[in-house]
Amino acid sequence: MKRIGVLTSGGDAPGMNAAVRSVVRSALSKGIQVMGIHHGYSGLMNKEITELNARSVSDIIHRGGTILYSARCPEFRKEEGVEKAVEVCKEFGIEGIIVIGGDGSFRGARDLSLKGIPCVGVPATIDNDISSTDYTIGFDTAMNTVVDMVDRLRDTAQSHERCSVVEVMGRHAGHLALQAGIAVGAISILVPEIQCDIKEVCKKIDIARKDGKKHFIIVVAEGFETTVNDIAKIVEVMTGVESRATILGHVQRGGNPTVRDRVMASYLGHAAVDLVCQGIGNRVVGYQKGEIVDFDIYEALQMVKPFPFDRYKIADIISM
Ligand code: ADP
Ligand code: F6P
């Protein structure tokens, strides 16, 4: 193998740049050229491709976002889109691709692998919702951002003796909400994986108030069935505690990656290069029980990530 490509796809995540850097330098160390593909699969089809060298990835390990830009590309879901991408790979002499993104991006990597371009996926999303890995690049930074933001909300909630109802990202998953909720000491954490009656949350607030608690934080995953605005209204009516809703939004996707994200991205990028350079494609790398692992993409996409109900229970017990 003489030349590979690297792209970032789907929602960006802090640490993607560290992964790109690791991919480029790991490949160069094996004498393999690396082409940076801009704007994910869309840029692959439209030939937005430039060569990367060791210096192209200098000074990016600490930066959020992705220097390669990211995109969502509906055209790539169709066979014609994948075939077009294969032609571009042939034209540019790209013999394998490292795809840094979430499970949607891995589906694209599988399609491309099946058409003869070996692709290896590197898990990167703030949602930590990829089943084949315990950890996804970006999760730790996003959790820290949420905690930082909610600490600020706590200051004002404390001053006004209010309840702050905060929506965090996560798409259909509650991993970000759970961990951040524990870290900010939320009275309740509402996630799509667990049914919860808001009346029960209000009862908990009433009990805590009688015990002297004066301000409250409720962390809500965006995939939960009731919106933060509605939850705030219900809490205010049922408990008499003045409540405010906040949607943290895309601030959670930005910022300098934490140590964990930089290190994890560096290891996972390196592992992906090891595979693709042997001509092994249709794989995703991941991190399980302290080890770097890899799986067939199809198998990885069939896996189910269990929600840690035991930890949710602990969070519930210690919030009173
Ligand atoms: P993520 O990778 O973060 O889960 P998306 O689900 O938006 O993000 O997927 C990113 C891109 O991956 C899509 O825009 C599309 O180009 C490609 N993709 C997603 N699903 C598929 C699929 N089923 N088949 C082929 N390509 C897909
Ligand atoms: O997958 C990452 C994520 O930030 C989700 O948490 C969120 O649901 C989604 O992407 C938002 O996507 P967009 O950037 O298209 O608004």
Side-chain angles (χ1 to χ4, degrees):
M1 190 160 288
K2 289 196 175 66
R3 183 181 280 178
I4 62 168
V6 57
L7 61 83
T8 49
S9 167
D12 64 346
M16 277 184 162
N17 279 328
V20 171
R21 173 180 177 272
S22 172
V23 166
V24 170
R25 294 188 175 175
S26 299
L28 291 175
S29 75
K30 292 175 187 285
I32 293 168
Q33 275 185 324
V34 186
M35 307 303 282
I37 301 159
H38 285 192
H39 299 111
Y41 294 119
S42 155
L44 179 58
M45 290 190 299
N46 298 322
K47 307 182 188 176
E48 295 177 55
I49 301 171
T50 52
E51 189 176 346
L52 299 173
N53 60 35
R55 295 285 72 78
S56 326
V57 292
S58 291
D59 207 23
I60 64 166
I61 193 166
H62 62 297
R63 294 211 191 134
T66 159
I67 59 159
L68 294 179
Y69 304 92
S70 194
R72 295 200 167 100
C73 172
E75 213 187 325
F76 196 74
R77 290 169 185 255
K78 298 190 193 124
E79 195 168 352
E80 307 89 81
V82 181
E83 278 165 4
K84 196 169 163 189
V86 172
E87 287 313 309
V88 174
C89 287
K90 285 186 184 150
E91 185 184 330
F92 281 77
I94 293 173
E95 296 167 87
I97 299 183
I98 309 286
V99 172
I100 303 167
D103 52 8
S105 304
F106 295 165
R107 289 191 171 88
R110 178 200 56 197
D111 293 352
L112 206 46
S113 299
L114 295 179
K115 294 271 181 202
I117 307 294
C119 294
V120 178
V122 174
T125 161
I126 65 162
D127 304 333
N128 201 24
D129 60 348
I130 299 180
S131 306
S132 52
T133 183
D134 295 344
Y135 188 78
T136 60
I137 297 163
F139 184 52
D140 189 56
T141 308
M143 279 191 297
N144 279 286
T145 304
V146 172
V147 169
D148 188 33
M149 295 297 136
V150 177
D151 283 349
R152 288 158 198 253
L153 289 171
R154 174 193 290 277
D155 289 344
T156 169
Q158 181 269 325
S159 307
H160 290 266
E161 300 185 357
R162 283 175 175 161
C163 175
S164 191
V165 186
V166 192
E167 182 189 296
V168 305
M169 280 187 167
R171 206 183 289 248
H172 308 297
H175 302 288
L176 187 56
L178 174 61
Q179 302 246 22
I182 292 173
V184 298
I187 184 101
S188 278
I189 302 168
L190 304 176
V191 294
E193 292 87 346
I194 296 176
Q195 279 237 312
C196 183
D197 187 343
I198 312 297
K199 284 185 201 137
E200 294 304 315
V201 176
C202 294
K203 272 190 209 159
K204 213 173 164 189
I205 290 176
D206 274 338
I207 293 165
R209 269 180 102 197
K210 288 191 183 111
D211 192 40
K213 194 172 170 80
K214 293 205 167 83
H215 64 275
F216 305 88
I217 309 279
I218 301 175
V219 171
V220 186
E222 66 174 324
F224 186 69
E225 57 191 1
T226 316
T227 66
V228 280
N229 284 312
D230 286 346
I231 295 169
K233 280 183 203 144
I234 297 169
V235 168
E236 192 159 308
V237 168
M238 291 196 67
T239 66
V241 178
E242 204 181 1
S243 301
R244 293 286 186 272
T246 305
I247 298 172
L248 290 184
H250 287 82
V251 70
Q252 295 162 94
R253 287 239 296 264
N256 298 349
T258 58
V259 171
R260 182 151 204 227
D261 281 325
R262 296 179 200 194
V263 171
M264 205 54 98
S266 300
Y267 291 150
L268 291 171
H270 182 82
V273 169
D274 264 353
L275 290 171
V276 92
C277 289
Q278 298 171 57
I280 300 172
N282 200 23
R283 307 288 292 177
V284 281
V285 294
Y287 181 79
Q288 279 192 351
K289 299 189 175 103
E291 302 286 336
I292 302 292
V293 292
D294 61 275
F295 296 101
D296 173 273
I297 296 185
Y298 182 75
E299 278 173 28
L301 292 172
Q302 300 305 307
M303 293 175 186
V304 177
K305 189 172 216 164
F307 189 77
F309 292 100
D310 48 341
R311 293 181 194 169
Y312 184 87
K313 183 87 188 130
I314 294 169
D316 191 41
I317 290 167
I318 62 177
S319 60
M320 53 173 64

